[in-house]
Amino acid sequence: MKLLPILAFIIVVGFSPIVSAHTTHGCSRALAYDAKSNIPWPDYPKRPFDVLKYNLTLDWRKMFETKTATFSAVNLITVKITQPTDSIELDASYMRIDSLRINGSLILPTPQINSEKLFIPIPQSLKAVGTELTMSISYTRDTTNERGIYFYPAGTIGDKNTQSQIPEDIAFTMSEPTDARYWMPCMDLPYDKAESEISIIAPNGIETASNGSLLSKLSYTPSSTIWHWKSDEPITTYLMVADASNFVHWSQTHNRSAVAGDTVHLDYYAWAKDYGQDSITDGSRYNATYFVSRLTSQIMSWLEARYGDFPFTKYGQVPAQPFYWGGMEHQSCTTINRAWMRGDSYTGIAHEMAHQWFGDKTTCETFKDIWLNEGFASYAEALFRELREGTGAYSDVIANKAYNYFHGANSFPTYDPPVDNVFNYATTYCKGACVLHMLRNMLKNDSVFFHGLKSYSNYFAYTTADTHQFTEYMGQQVGLDLTEFIDEWIFTPLYPIYDIKWAQNANGRLYVQINQLQDIREHFTMPIQFFAYHGNKVDTIIFDNNLRSQLFWESVNYNIDSLLFDEGANPLAQYITASSDTVNYNDIIHTRQLAYAPSLSVRPSQILQGTLNVFTEANSIVCRIRMPSVKGTVELFNSLGTKLQAIECSGSDDLVRFPSSALASGMYIVRLLSENRSETRTITLVK
């Protein structure tokens, strides 16, 4: 799901910085922190049965007649008894149970819902472990409350601040995290996947959409049609969907591989008012065909290059309005916000499509593990930009994720967020994406990193995984024990704060003292990467920081002009630096244990005074500088560290362009220098 309001690792064997590093160990102090002591999301025990199949028939004729989310339905649920029990516990609310049959036999008195639970007594003859039984539950949703299922009539919707003009009646479901119970009796927990068939009875002229393939479309009465959909793979309830409106429907075919006939059916839906405006591409009006048809197959190919073949036989995109989310990754049938069709929201398409691998094919075991869905899909936004525009665009996305994390960070960890904040954008989405970026950077081997992600997706295909399983399995694939890495970034809240002092003596020896100031964890174990600038060259120096207070040294054969912390390698760190202009190397050597002054009140605005974003345009490398109104210089280096050009900039929201027509394809380094800081970005120029 994409939100609408977007504004123990061990030392890596064979990890080789450009300049090697030596270290001495300073003292450390112990801080008590139990990463798993706060459990705001309930520990739901697994129920003593396994749902094998849902076969749901929704009669939505009344809904379109009354213009409310009221309807009747029948859900045939097949389960297998896995432990001794006297009843089947289902989740259900906002509905009346009209009748119940088990294996065809009527159950009286008819069980009713209490506190969102429906307990169905099991006949004595069907209680044995291993028994399969089918419950036929006829029910009526008799409330107009908007939850789980939504109906909006054509016309003006919303108050004066949120008004939408809807050209057609629309009905749709939206269940994440646990709202499927408001439109169907079910096991409303993510760990239990089942086969699924959904039939929708709708007035003639209404188009429907759901998970999987359309098996049939038949006349039901002279004025209505029944549509029968079947999922091609097991599905969890929050990913099930039913949509209906007077949609225009069109299709494309995506070639999943070179094998003849190995294709994915692409289904698109839109209101007639939004369809067929190919000449309008400036965002002034909705343009469904331009938005969804132009790049969907290409994005799928890009993601397949990283994650393997698309995991389902169909992928649909259905717009909704009003829709209070950006998009929702319903399995094989994503719901998108209609507003996306007014602009270039392709990162949204990439995000939701990536969920088909991470979220749908492999689903989080519990919503404590939701970062395995949302962090992975958010990271795919950066991969999409990298594959489409180059490494500079990738770096910009990661920098933006880090910015959003720091400006919205919460005191809870990424694992097990509170129930009322499970989809926290900063912590679940942005931090999760940055953690994957740091793992990729730490490995320095894309083949190993993406092989690990692909293997994880395949190993847990069409089932579920939790954070511990990901940690163990991914570690096996990349050849590292990731326990500490995941513990410090996923189970621990917030981030490290580094106090960095450096100096160089007359013999060229570089000293770097790193003290960690955070009080939420004794220390973070991470490679700390620096750029060492000397004349027109820049080298990369990496120190493996694994203590709270640590002194490093390295001899180099040049005088270092400036030593800059590489924010791109560790975007979730805050830091304070002091250079050789104010620090004597003897002071660093003799002051082994500096004052800690732990503080979590340090904000990026206090440390990072400017922001540099770099991207490419036709014949230019473009630098956007956002910083206080002070003057600075932007420098361009080639991959060998030779300075090619320098341009002065003059403050807030300035654009600097380096002509690129005479430059060869390859990596370039851009450095921003101002009176109070330096910042570096890399970008790849492709011609």
Side-chain angles (χ1 to χ4, degrees):
M1 180 169 64
K2 188 173 180 66
L3 300 182
L4 187 60
I6 296 230
L7 296 176
F9 168 68
I10 61 174
I11 300 299
V12 182
V13 177
F15 187 87
S16 300
I18 294 176
V19 179
S20 61
H22 303 285
T23 175
T24 61
H25 295 167
C27 301
S28 64
R29 62 170 184 159
L31 295 179
Y33 176 74
D34 179 3
K36 302 172 187 176
S37 62
N38 180 27
I39 307 177
W41 193 270
D43 276 319
Y44 295 113
K46 290 192 174 181
R47 297 177 190 176
F49 61 92
D50 177 26
V51 178
L52 303 179
K53 184 174 182 178
Y54 296 100
N55 193 334
L56 179 64
T57 300
L58 303 167
D59 188 347
W60 280 5
R61 291 174 293 175
K62 180 181 177 182
M63 193 153 55
F64 280 87
E65 292 170 4
T66 64
K67 312 295 185 184
T68 62
T70 58
F71 62 89
S72 59
V74 178
N75 200 0
L76 273 67
I77 307 176
T78 301
V79 304
K80 181 178 182 178
I81 306 300
T82 57
Q83 299 177 38
T85 184
D86 293 325
S87 64
I88 299 296
E89 175 191 345
L90 296 178
D91 303 295
S93 190
Y94 290 175
M95 63 187 69
R96 179 186 70 248
I97 306 303
D98 299 321
S99 68
L100 171 67
R101 294 180 182 272
I102 297 181
N103 288 0
S105 299
L106 186 66
I107 303 299
L108 293 174
T110 303
Q112 292 299 319
I113 297 164
N114 184 19
S115 299
E116 298 195 348
K117 297 294 183 182
L118 176 63
F119 288 94
I120 299 174
I122 305 174
Q124 187 64 38
S125 61
L126 300 175
K127 288 184 178 180
V129 172
T131 301
E132 294 184 13
L133 57 91
T134 298
M135 302 167 290
S136 176
I137 307 171
S138 298
Y139 63 98
T140 300
R141 192 182 194 275
D142 53 4
T143 178
T144 59
N145 288 349
E146 288 187 354
R147 188 161 184 182
I149 186 167
Y150 303 83
F151 185 92
Y152 296 109
T156 303
I157 303 296
D159 59 31
K160 65 180 181 179
N161 296 317
T162 60
Q163 281 188 354
S164 299
Q165 291 292 330
I166 303 182
E168 304 285 352
D169 295 350
I170 184 172
F172 60 89
T173 63
M174 172 65 192
S175 301
E176 193 178 22
T178 56
D179 280 8
R181 68 190 66 192
Y182 298 105
W183 59 282
M184 56 181 285
C186 61
M187 163 94 83
D188 206 9
L189 295 172
Y191 78 83
D192 195 339
K193 290 190 172 186
E195 296 181 23
S196 171
E197 296 186 33
I198 295 179
S199 297
I200 306 169
I201 304 169
N204 290 340
I206 296 297
E207 189 89 15
T208 76
S210 188
N211 313 100
S213 302
L214 180 63
L215 297 186
S216 64
K217 172 188 173 184
L218 302 172
S219 176
Y220 189 74
T221 68
S223 60
S224 63
T225 302
I226 183 167
W227 306 68
H228 185 190
W229 300 87
K230 186 180 189 302
S231 293
D232 57 335
E233 298 291 351
I235 188 172
T236 191
T237 51
Y238 82 85
L239 294 173
M240 296 170 66
V241 68
D243 303 307
S245 187
N246 187 14
F247 286 129
V248 176
H249 169 229
W250 72 106
S251 302
Q252 286 181 326
T253 298
H254 170 77
N255 294 315
R256 182 159 45 186
S257 71
V259 178
D262 185 17
T263 60
V264 177
H265 184 72
L266 303 179
D267 269 343
Y268 307 126
Y269 299 81
W271 287 317
K273 184 176 181 180
D274 303 340
Y275 178 79
Q277 301 185 86
D278 289 346
S279 62
I280 301 173
T281 60
D282 61 0
S284 60
R285 295 177 66 180
Y286 300 106
N287 186 341
T289 48
Y290 175 79
F291 175 65
V292 299
S293 301
R294 190 165 67 99
L295 279 184
T296 296
S297 181
Q298 178 65 74
I299 294 171
M300 190 171 286
S301 294
W302 281 330
L303 294 181
E304 284 178 323
R306 294 302 198 190
Y307 301 147
D309 290 348
F310 186 77
F312 304 102
T313 58
K314 183 206 82 175
Y315 186 61
Q317 293 180 96
V318 183
Q321 189 182 31
F323 190 66
Y324 303 110
W325 305 267
M328 175 60 208
E329 66 277 9
H330 297 120
Q331 188 164 304
S332 76
C333 189
T334 286
T335 304
I336 64 172
N337 194 298
R338 184 192 183 204
W340 284 10
M341 297 190 301
R342 293 188 71 134
D344 185 7
S345 298
Y346 292 109
T347 53
I349 286 186
H351 179 107
E352 304 306 338
M353 191 183 294
H355 271 308
Q356 303 302 308
W357 284 270
F358 302 105
D360 296 14
K361 177 185 177 183
T362 302
T363 304
C364 59
E365 172 81 1
T366 74
F367 284 108
K368 296 181 180 185
D369 306 288
I370 189 62
W371 82 278
L372 293 174
N373 292 15
E374 300 301 346
F376 281 53
S378 297
Y379 182 65
E381 298 174 33
L383 292 181
F384 158 67
R385 293 287 303 280
E386 179 181 41
L387 293 165
R388 185 187 184 192
E389 303 164 49
T391 56
Y394 168 91
S395 298
D396 284 348
V397 174
I398 296 300
N400 181 263
K401 298 296 184 190
Y403 176 88
N404 281 297
Y405 171 67
F406 282 128
H407 285 76
N410 292 275
S411 59
F412 54 81
T414 302
Y415 176 80
D416 196 9
V419 175
D420 60 354
N421 213 352
V422 64
F423 298 110
N424 180 270
Y425 181 65
T427 302
T428 300
Y429 293 67
C430 293
K431 186 177 184 182
C434 289
V435 168
L436 290 175
H437 162 76
M438 290 190 297
L439 178 57
R440 179 186 183 183
N441 183 75
M442 186 179 77
L443 294 173
K444 301 292 185 187
N445 189 321
D446 275 3
S447 295
V448 171
F449 175 71
F450 288 111
H451 169 77
L453 291 185
K454 186 186 299 185
S455 297
Y456 161 72
S457 172
N458 289 334
Y459 187 80
F460 294 96
Y462 311 112
T463 181
T464 61
D466 63 26
T467 300
H468 300 288
Q469 290 171 311
F470 168 76
T471 303
E472 181 179 3
Y473 188 82
M474 187 69 176
Q476 292 172 356
Q477 296 304 302
V478 302
L480 291 175
D481 182 353
L482 296 179
T483 304
E484 186 175 358
F485 177 81
I486 294 297
D487 184 68
E488 61 192 10
W489 292 112
I490 299 300
F491 287 103
T492 301
L494 298 173
Y495 40 79
I497 302 174
Y498 298 115
D499 181 7
I500 302 169
K501 294 178 171 60
W502 71 275
Q504 188 176 20
N505 67 12
N507 296 322
R509 176 170 283 189
L510 168 68
Y511 293 92
V512 177
Q513 175 77 43
I514 300 176
N515 296 296
Q516 297 187 28
L517 305 183
Q518 73 283 342
D519 60 6
I520 47 88
R521 186 182 181 93
E522 199 273 341
H523 71 274
F524 284 73
T525 297
M526 286 295 293
I528 307 298
Q529 188 162 306
F530 297 92
F531 294 120
Y533 289 87
H534 52 106
N536 292 329
K537 296 184 180 297
V538 56
D539 288 334
T540 300
I541 300 177
I542 302 173
F543 299 113
D544 288 315
N545 180 215
N546 57 10
L547 291 175
R548 187 171 181 88
S549 179
Q550 204 162 9
L551 175 65
F552 301 90
W553 74 83
E554 179 61 41
S555 294
V556 296
N557 59 3
Y558 51 79
N559 292 326
I560 297 175
D561 299 324
S562 60
L563 188 73
L564 303 184
F565 183 90
D566 183 0
E567 301 161 6
N570 191 343
L572 294 181
Q574 290 188 346
Y575 62 94
I576 304 170
T577 62
S579 71
S580 55
D581 294 335
T582 57
V583 180
N584 185 284
Y585 74 95
N586 287 313
D587 294 335
I588 293 179
I589 294 173
H590 297 301
T591 309
R592 298 293 301 277
Q593 183 82 19
L594 303 183
Y596 282 108
S599 173
L600 295 182
S601 62
V602 181
R603 305 303 302 161
S605 59
Q606 296 172 273
I607 300 171
L608 310 180
Q609 297 297 328
T611 297
L612 170 66
N613 290 310
V614 182
F615 53 95
T616 58
E617 289 182 352
N619 299 318
S620 296
I621 294 175
V622 184
C623 312
R624 181 183 293 278
I625 298 97
R626 295 186 178 96
M627 61 182 181
S629 297
V630 295
K631 292 184 177 181
T633 302
V634 185
E635 300 174 330
L636 179 68
F637 298 83
N638 64 17
S639 59
L640 299 176
T642 302
K643 185 188 294 185
L644 304 177
Q645 193 175 353
I647 300 176
E648 291 188 357
C649 59
S650 58
S652 179
D653 210 18
D654 197 3
L655 284 178
V656 171
R657 286 181 169 84
F658 293 107
S660 61
S661 57
L663 299 178
S665 296
M667 189 189 79
Y668 292 85
I669 300 167
V670 177
R671 177 171 66 168
L672 168 66
L673 298 174
S674 68
E675 62 185 30
N676 52 11
R677 76 150 296 130
S678 299
E679 189 169 345
T680 302
R681 293 283 184 266
T682 60
I683 189 166
T684 298
L685 185 63
V686 179
K687 291 189 172 182

